[in-house]
Amino acid sequence: MTQLQYRHTDRSMPVTTTFTIEGYRITQYLGVVRGLIVRSPTIAQGILGGLKSIVGGNIGSYTEMCEQTRQQAYDLLVDHARAVGANAVVGLRYDASEIGGGRGASATEVLCYGTAVVIAPEAP
């Protein structure tokens, strides 16, 4: 099992799934920020995934593609938050959906979203 590690290079921006950050108060709400990525598997991933779906089991190449896609969506969210002047994001969520399913080529949309905020340390 791979451990999910978000690797955004600048750790100065707290991002949380909760709506508060312990030890800080929210001084300003700047609105919804998001990162959106649409990806489809490569031909090789599609073939291997199709074969693996016949015999069952974990499809490692798909798992890796999904993890990379989530990371890219997360990075875009942080970039968007910085662009609007935030120093933190609260209420982080992910959503995914399939686009163009059926007989044609399909892709997966991964949306990472939250609320951009400005935080300040709480007074002791």
Side-chain angles (χ1 to χ4, degrees), residues 6-17 20-21 24 28 30-35 71 73-92 112-120:
Y6 290 102
R7 302 173 299 275
H8 206 277
T9 55
D10 185 359
R11 300 225 180 250
S12 64
M13 179 176 290
V15 178
T16 180
T17 58
T20 60
I21 299 174
Y24 292 86
Q28 188 176 8
L30 300 173
V32 174
V33 289
R34 82 285 175 265
Q71 179 64 49
Y74 177 86
D75 290 345
L76 288 173
L77 166 108
V78 171
D79 291 343
H80 187 196
R82 281 196 179 96
V84 299
N87 65 355
V89 175
V90 296
L92 176 78
C112 181
Y113 62 97
T115 302
V117 296
V118 174
I119 58 172

Side-chain angles (χ1 to χ4, degrees), residues 9-106:
T9 55
D10 185 359
R11 300 225 180 250
S12 64
M13 179 176 290
V15 178
T16 180
T17 58
T18 64
F19 294 99
T20 60
I21 299 174
E22 188 173 341
Y24 292 86
R25 61 186 172 81
I26 296 173
T27 62
Q28 188 176 8
Y29 289 88
L30 300 173
V32 174
V33 289
R34 82 285 175 265
L36 176 67
I37 296 288
V38 178
R39 296 246 349 242
S40 64
T42 64
I43 292 173
Q45 288 171 327
I47 292 169
L48 292 172
L51 292 173
K52 192 70 169 185
S53 68
I54 293 170
V55 296
N58 182 34
I59 304 173
S61 60
Y62 279 8
T63 302
E64 184 178 333
M65 180 188 72
C66 290
E67 290 295 347
Q68 290 172 354
T69 304
R70 284 186 196 100
Q71 179 64 49
Q72 290 170 343
Y74 177 86
D75 290 345
L76 288 173
L77 166 108
V78 171
D79 291 343
H80 187 196
R82 281 196 179 96
V84 299
N87 65 355
V89 175
V90 296
L92 176 78
R93 300 289 185 268
Y94 282 96
D95 190 24
S97 59
E98 188 172 342
I99 299 172
R103 294 182 172 242
S106 67

